[in-house]
Amino acid sequence: MMTEVIITTDRTMMTNHHGKEFIGFMTTAPPIFMPEWLWMKISAPKMKVNEKGEPWQAPYGLRKIEAALLDAGIDAAVIDPDHLGKHIDEAKVIAIGHHDYFALGPPSSEWWVLTGKEPVNSKSFRKLMERPEIRRAKKNGAKIIVGGPAAWQWLYMPELIDKWGVDTVIDGEGEKVTVEIVKKALSGEELPKFIQVGAEDVPSLHQIPLIKKASVNGLVEISRGCPRRCRFCSVTLRPLRHYTLEMIERELEVNKRAGVEGCILHSDDVLLYGSDSVYPRPEPIIKLHELARKYFKSVGWSHFSLSAVKYAEENYKLMSRLSEMLLEDDDYVGVEVGIETGSPDLAEKIMPAKALPYSAREWPSVVIDAFSIMHELRIVPAATLITGIPEEKLEDVTKSLELVDELKPYRSLIVPMYFVPMGLLRDKNWYRAQPTQEQMDLMKACLRHDLFWIDDLARWYLRKANPLLRLSIRIFISLVKRAASRYLFI
Ligand code: SF4
């Protein structure tokens, strides 16, 4: 039963959040109004595993690394953190991935600043690294390799690299590079401490491995990269690649065979599938959705850009067609979108191409039009709004506040992302950095918006959830409402 290369992560990642992707947001916050064990039970329940300790679903990024290693003939498997003991004496490499190892990224860092309490994701990750099994493996000479979208955070934690014996940090698209490093580790060669994956090491389309076992909530990637090049976003450094429909179908089949009940089409902008510019193309998008529907009744999306929503509907009625294809009469479907700012000035500076094919100065009206289109079609945007970025001025925050007010009639959630200045992160008390009054006002305005829509959304989102989960979240929502009115005057 031994596995030479174990791929794992902590509980806040190794979970399917009861099949409700959005509940995963709770893992980025500290427990509020309930004990930590209950918070974890609601947001990060354990999943069933096989006799080897392999979870039946695993984060997509870990499945990609697993597939790359298996394709290279290396004995590797994703193992649930509670089952590491079964393999640890034989393991030669432990590969670990995470979205937010130390809660330094938004929205975790924002919760930390606002509450002064450490979010559960970084606590849970620390517990993983201090587990006796990991310590034992290290003593036995196993190498620890870490990567994933939060790999950059290790640069701020050099003492933990030493304390926990991390051998290599891989930052960037890791499929090709991880195989090389794991081969080196298995043959006892010296490993580099830090690797920044350069353009020449990024896998080309046909080098991207296809997952072999089920991903969390049926997520399958359809494209990588984004042509908009916003200044604060690392996605932009990756070349744009669209999977072929055959590649996507093979991953859909893997999830279907494993018994996953739906799929989430993942890309930095699903509406640009099959396009090599900022103009959505209806034909590939319709074919993609027909394919997904062939396998799953429930089809969701990860991200849309708001300008693509407006353009696709106004030119091709494409959003209406997608809504007809996917939604029953009283249903909604959610998707993440980025507003980031309500200020045309700031939009011009930090994301000049985000509004394309419209101009950056039109950005607030693009956002409103897209929200209005989605509201009519029962597509629910969960939008991010950034504050705290170095270029931001007081007037920019005011413009964002005005935009949040204008979005009130549209069914949506708006999540403010408070950017802690990178320079501060080296200080271990970084989370004491306080937002300005205007930034606090903006965060309150978002909370007010969300509380306005929350009952409508919770009714839909939780309608098929188990009764205990439904009850816990309802109680939680009423406590948040009460606290918001008592302490924040919302
Ligand atoms: S549109 Fe989104 S994914 Fe693309 S560069 Fe901007 S923030 Fe990144």
Side-chain angles (χ1 to χ4, degrees):
M1 193 156 82
M2 95 177 206
T3 301
E4 270 191 322
V5 181
I6 293 177
I7 304 161
T8 195
T9 189
D10 76 271
R11 177 62 62 214
T12 59
M13 295 279 301
M14 197 73 88
T15 173
N16 66 358
H17 318 290
H18 303 278
K20 305 260 165 219
E21 203 58 23
F22 198 72
I23 291 179
F25 261 111
M26 287 175 73
T27 62
T28 66
I32 308 170
F33 306 126
M34 60 179 89
E36 188 169 318
W37 65 266
L38 183 57
W39 189 266
M40 287 290 285
K41 230 180 165 50
I42 292 174
S43 63
K46 296 181 181 187
M47 289 186 292
K48 66 179 185 208
V49 295
N50 66 12
E51 68 289 352
K52 262 178 82 176
E54 293 179 277
W56 82 290
Q57 298 176 10
Y60 189 78
L62 299 192
R63 286 293 190 218
K64 283 296 204 200
I65 296 297
E66 178 185 57
L69 293 169
L70 290 172
D71 287 345
I74 295 168
D75 173 26
V78 175
I79 301 294
D80 184 277
D82 286 350
H83 296 263
L84 295 173
K86 293 178 178 152
H87 305 270
I88 221 71
D89 287 326
E90 285 81 20
K92 298 202 173 75
V93 176
I94 304 174
I96 300 172
H98 209 288
H99 280 152
D100 205 356
Y101 288 104
F102 304 108
L104 299 185
S108 318
S109 55
E110 174 192 358
W111 290 121
W112 203 337
V113 168
L114 290 178
T115 62
K117 281 165 68 184
E118 185 180 4
V120 291
N121 52 4
S122 69
K123 274 180 144 179
S124 163
F125 178 65
R126 193 167 55 244
K127 276 189 204 145
L128 170 77
M129 295 308 282
E130 290 179 355
R131 282 183 95 113
E133 299 93 322
I134 301 261
R135 298 297 91 217
R136 200 164 81 229
K138 203 57 215 169
K139 269 211 190 104
N140 293 344
K143 302 290 181 198
I144 297 183
I145 299 171
V146 297
W152 61 271
Q153 298 184 0
W154 289 93
L155 293 178
Y156 294 88
M157 300 289 164
E159 68 290 352
L160 291 180
I161 293 185
D162 294 338
K163 181 178 172 199
W164 290 333
V166 171
D167 293 281
T168 302
V169 179
I170 300 176
D171 189 12
E173 277 184 49
E175 290 107 331
K176 264 171 84 176
V177 171
T178 306
V179 170
E180 287 162 28
I181 293 296
V182 167
K183 279 184 179 163
K184 279 192 180 167
L186 292 177
S187 57
E189 286 176 53
E190 189 79 15
L191 299 184
K193 257 289 173 268
F194 184 81
I195 298 178
Q196 179 71 58
V197 179
E200 66 290 353
D201 289 321
V202 166
S204 65
L205 178 66
H206 293 288
Q207 287 170 330
I208 296 177
L210 299 179
I211 60 167
K212 310 210 179 317
K213 294 170 196 170
S215 58
V216 165
N217 296 327
L219 186 136
V220 296
E221 193 171 44
I222 58 160
S223 311
R224 266 186 204 184
C226 170
R228 298 190 188 271
R229 307 197 164 270
C230 302
R231 303 241 162 92
F232 50 87
C233 177
S234 58
V235 169
T236 241
L237 304 170
R238 308 159 164 207
L240 185 62
R241 285 145 293 165
H242 300 295
Y243 283 45
T244 62
L245 289 176
E246 292 70 33
M247 292 167 80
I248 296 167
E249 182 158 22
R250 280 174 57 196
E251 294 203 337
L252 291 170
E253 276 168 356
V254 166
N255 283 325
K256 182 78 186 174
R257 259 201 316 274
V260 183
E261 281 177 0
C263 81
I264 299 171
L265 302 175
H266 175 84
S267 156
D268 297 300
D269 188 350
V270 173
L271 294 175
L272 291 188
Y273 177 70
S275 164
D276 54 8
S277 68
V278 293
Y279 295 93
R281 290 180 51 216
E283 196 193 322
I285 295 172
I286 295 289
K287 281 197 177 140
L288 169 70
H289 285 81
E290 283 168 354
L291 174 66
R293 284 285 284 176
K294 193 170 115 191
Y295 287 87
F296 295 102
K297 189 162 175 271
S298 161
V299 176
W301 306 296
S302 65
H303 300 84
F304 285 169
S305 63
L306 293 167
S307 35
V309 168
K310 175 173 158 74
Y311 187 87
E313 181 64 10
E314 289 179 356
N315 289 277
Y316 308 111
K317 288 262 164 240
L318 182 59
M319 304 314 298
S320 302
R321 286 169 72 188
L322 294 181
S323 164
E324 274 161 30
M325 279 173 87
L326 304 188
L327 289 177
E328 315 253 328
D329 281 351
D330 58 344
D331 212 0
Y332 299 155
V333 56
V335 64
E336 281 185 47
V337 302
I339 299 173
E340 323 307 10
T341 179
S343 156
D345 286 346
L346 192 59
E348 273 183 326
K349 278 186 217 147
I350 63 170
M351 44 185 223
K354 184 113 164 163
L356 286 176
Y358 310 97
S359 91
R361 296 224 63 85
E362 291 173 89
W363 179 240
S365 65
V366 171
V367 174
I368 293 168
D369 292 350
F371 267 61
S372 153
I373 291 165
M374 288 192 278
H375 180 86
E376 288 303 315
L377 298 172
R378 287 173 286 116
I379 299 169
V380 183
T384 51
L385 186 68
I386 293 175
T387 184
I389 210 152
E391 294 86 345
E392 180 183 74
K393 296 199 180 114
L394 177 59
E395 309 81 85
D396 300 319
V397 185
T398 310
K399 291 273 181 213
S400 291
L401 260 167
E402 286 166 13
L403 181 59
V404 172
D405 273 350
E406 290 196 67
L407 294 176
K408 186 170 180 189
Y410 309 116
R411 188 185 305 105
S412 56
L413 291 173
I414 305 179
V415 184
M417 300 272 195
Y418 175 62
F419 263 74
V420 178
M422 284 288 194
L424 270 190
L425 291 179
R426 288 189 198 281
D427 180 346
K428 67 180 183 342
N429 289 323
W430 62 268
Y431 56 86
R432 302 228 168 96
Q434 278 309 312
T436 62
Q437 185 56 48
E438 293 73 24
Q439 289 169 337
M440 283 303 283
D441 288 346
L442 182 60
M443 292 190 216
K444 278 193 203 175
C446 294
L447 184 58
R448 195 179 301 119
H449 176 96
D450 297 344
L451 292 178
F452 180 75
W453 282 107
I454 197 73
D455 291 323
D456 183 24
L457 292 174
R459 217 175 1 258
W460 152 66
Y461 198 64
L462 297 170
R463 70 203 184 290
K464 290 181 194 151
N466 76 55
L468 205 60
L469 177 67
R470 218 165 34 220
L471 181 69
S472 315
I473 294 199
R474 286 215 174 285
I475 293 173
F476 176 66
I477 291 173
S478 68
L479 288 171
V480 171
K481 279 186 172 173
R482 210 174 310 159
S485 75
R486 186 174 305 166
Y487 302 113
L488 299 173
F489 309 107
I490 290 174

